Amino acid sequence: MMRDCPKCGSSQIEEGYQLDKGHGETHVGAFIRGKPDKRWYGYKVAKQDRLEITQYRCKRCGYLENYAK
Ligand SMILES: [Zn+2]
């Protein structure tokens, strides 16, 4: 995880996440393995291929780093 900002060297890092908005639903933003598989109902995503993204933000310069686990 990000401890010091690689851009400005600050150690003031806060954890967060990004919201994805869909059709009346909100999700934590995710990384999806592989290529997009578009179907008539939307994108087909296998559960095991979806990894929620955690973000770390530098409070000094605003740099964001993403981790998908
Ligand atoms: Zn920074």
Side-chain angles (χ1 to χ4, degrees):
M1 297 297 110
M2 185 162 99
R3 293 188 197 270
D4 295 307
C5 176
K7 302 292 175 193
C8 74
S10 167
S11 58
Q12 297 231 329
I13 308 299
E14 60 186 0
E15 182 177 330
Y17 62 92
Q18 198 161 24
L19 268 186
D20 267 358
K21 285 188 184 168
H23 300 281
E25 297 172 56
T26 29
H27 306 273
V28 173
F31 167 86
I32 313 296
R33 280 195 196 96
K35 302 239 166 94
D37 186 5
K38 185 108 166 89
R39 305 293 173 94
W40 62 269
Y41 55 81
Y43 289 96
K44 187 181 182 212
V45 176
K47 214 173 188 179
Q48 69 271 20
D49 288 338
R50 187 179 185 284
L51 301 168
E52 287 190 351
I53 295 173
T54 303
Q55 294 188 318
Y56 291 87
R57 175 183 168 272
C58 172
K59 288 185 184 175
R60 193 199 276 174
C61 73
Y63 176 74
L64 286 177
E65 200 155 87
N66 297 311
Y67 291 86
K69 284 197 163 188

